[in-house]
Amino acid sequence: MEIYTQTHDCKVFGSLVPGFPAGIEAAFIALIELLRGDKDRAYYGISWGDGKGGIHYRAMTAEKFPGEAQQYGLETAIIQQGAYLIEPVTGWRKKTACIKDVCHLIIEDERSDKTMPCIEWYKNDDEMVCMVKINPAIGVLDAIKEASTRLLDALLPLTETQLNTIPFEDSWTAAQLADHITKSNKAMEQAMEMEGKPTHRDPAARAAELRNTFLDFSIRFKSPEFILPTQRQYEKAPLIGALQKSNTRLQEVVPTINAAGMINLPAFGEITKLELLYFGLYHTQRHIRQLTGMLPHVKSLSKAN
């Protein structure tokens, strides 16, 4: 399986295929005839699940000039720019029965965006490519997983007493920091499950802003009340267990959502789910640094006592 980068949005037009899959060939023939037999263009089959175990399939072609689709009164769609997992199929005319298996193989890849359609790109009479957009959140999710592991590695050796020791004035304890991250993870999980609106900009546009803000350690932030730690004393096992569970749930939920979806949150305003994941990464990295600064004081105080 290869990775292909679509460098621009591609507008396509066509119609829904009745009687899928039997009607696919007839639909493409009808589209070609409508275009006066024009085969000198790319054609696309775009398919997605109907939520009931069935498949919707559109036979489409790339627009050659702005407004072409309007001339024919057909449906339009956009093949988005970005990275795709692809699998080329040569001699496709003799392999039509197995194309669905190739698409299924790509969709099942853990890197694929399960919310996006499978695209069959018919480049010519011999060469076609099956392609599915790569979930843009996967790379960020891997980085969050790595940061979460680092955080847990720092917390696990601490005793329950050390976890609940105030290292210096006006500081949280390590346990309170862990509780804060857990609450933040749970809030992010809930946000991921919100209905997102279409995004008409780069879904990662605010990532640099979030990085510059949350990794600027000269700035002090006041945490929103709903993710503030609520206890003075914590038991180690439930504390660590809750943090691990919140990490796991985030890893499970994100691959199932459209990371480009736009949501509105009081703390951020309009933000994509992908950008919120970037926040989760930088937020965790910020608190890892905070915890690293606390540990020498915590260990010193525990020895003194």
Side-chain angles (χ1 to χ4, degrees):
M1 203 172 300
E2 305 170 29
I3 294 178
Y4 163 76
T5 300
Q6 175 77 18
T7 58
H8 61 282
D9 286 347
C10 176
K11 187 174 183 179
V12 295
F13 64 96
S15 58
L16 190 67
V17 173
F20 173 86
I24 291 178
E25 184 176 4
F28 276 112
I29 290 173
L31 183 59
I32 292 170
E33 290 178 349
L34 180 67
L35 298 170
R36 301 178 179 85
D38 184 2
K39 293 185 179 180
D40 186 25
R41 65 167 78 209
Y43 286 85
Y44 300 89
I46 301 179
S47 59
W48 66 100
D50 63 2
K52 301 176 182 178
I55 299 291
H56 289 308
Y57 187 102
R58 282 189 171 89
M60 311 196 89
T61 186
E63 193 177 61
K64 278 193 169 181
F65 55 85
E68 183 183 18
Q70 294 178 348
Q71 294 183 184
Y72 299 101
L74 297 177
E75 299 177 37
T76 61
I78 299 294
I79 296 175
Q80 298 175 5
Q81 65 177 335
Y84 287 78
L85 292 172
I86 69 168
E87 190 65 42
V89 179
T90 55
W92 62 265
R93 286 187 173 277
K94 296 180 181 179
K95 302 174 183 177
T96 54
C98 72
I99 289 175
K100 66 180 185 303
D101 299 321
V102 178
C103 287
H104 182 73
L105 180 68
I106 301 175
I107 291 170
E108 288 302 304
D109 190 287
E110 63 180 10
R111 295 168 292 175
S112 70
D113 189 337
K114 306 297 189 290
T115 69
M116 300 299 288
C118 181
I119 300 170
E120 300 163 15
W121 175 14
Y122 294 91
K123 302 174 78 171
N124 51 52
D125 282 344
D126 181 67
E127 184 183 4
M128 66 86 67
V129 175
C130 290
M131 51 194 286
V132 177
K133 207 165 192 296
I134 292 176
N135 187 339
I138 294 300
V140 189
L141 198 60
D142 287 343
I144 290 174
K145 185 176 182 179
E146 188 274 335
S148 299
T149 299
R150 286 173 55 205
L151 181 67
L152 281 164
D153 286 346
L155 291 167
L156 283 170
L158 300 179
T159 65
E160 192 165 296
T161 298
Q162 290 173 327
L163 284 166
N164 289 292
T165 297
I166 299 174
F168 38 77
E169 190 177 356
D170 294 329
S171 172
W172 285 346
T173 64
Q176 288 173 324
L177 183 149
D179 186 31
H180 169 68
I181 293 292
T182 299
K183 285 181 166 64
S184 179
N185 286 346
K186 288 180 178 179
M188 285 178 57
E189 178 195 336
Q190 293 171 355
M192 292 297 141
E193 294 176 330
M194 291 172 62
E195 183 176 354
K197 297 179 180 179
T199 307
H200 303 293
R201 62 165 176 78
D202 178 359
R206 292 186 63 186
E209 166 208 333
L210 292 165
R211 184 183 188 281
N212 292 338
T213 299
F214 286 93
L215 296 187
D216 182 346
F217 302 112
S218 67
I219 302 174
R220 295 195 67 177
F221 295 100
K222 184 176 181 180
S223 176
E225 189 172 347
F226 68 96
I227 55 173
L228 283 172
T230 53
Q231 298 173 222
R232 294 294 299 272
Q233 294 290 316
Y234 293 80
E235 294 181 15
K236 180 176 179 177
L239 176 78
I240 298 298
L243 178 58
Q244 291 172 324
K245 184 178 180 180
S246 72
N247 291 334
T248 299
R249 282 295 300 148
L250 204 55
Q251 294 288 326
E252 291 172 345
V253 168
V254 170
T256 69
I257 57 97
N258 178 8
M262 181 77 73
I263 55 179
N264 196 299
L265 299 174
F268 298 99
E270 286 200 334
I271 189 169
T272 66
K273 295 180 182 182
L274 178 60
E275 289 163 341
L276 190 60
L277 286 173
Y278 275 107
F279 156 75
L281 171 61
Y282 304 142
H283 181 245
T284 300
Q285 290 175 335
R286 181 180 182 88
H287 284 297
I288 288 172
R289 186 180 187 275
Q290 181 186 5
L291 179 61
T292 301
M294 292 163 56
L295 291 181
H297 299 276
V298 167
K299 292 175 181 178
S300 175
L301 289 168
S302 65
K303 285 181 182 178
N305 294 330

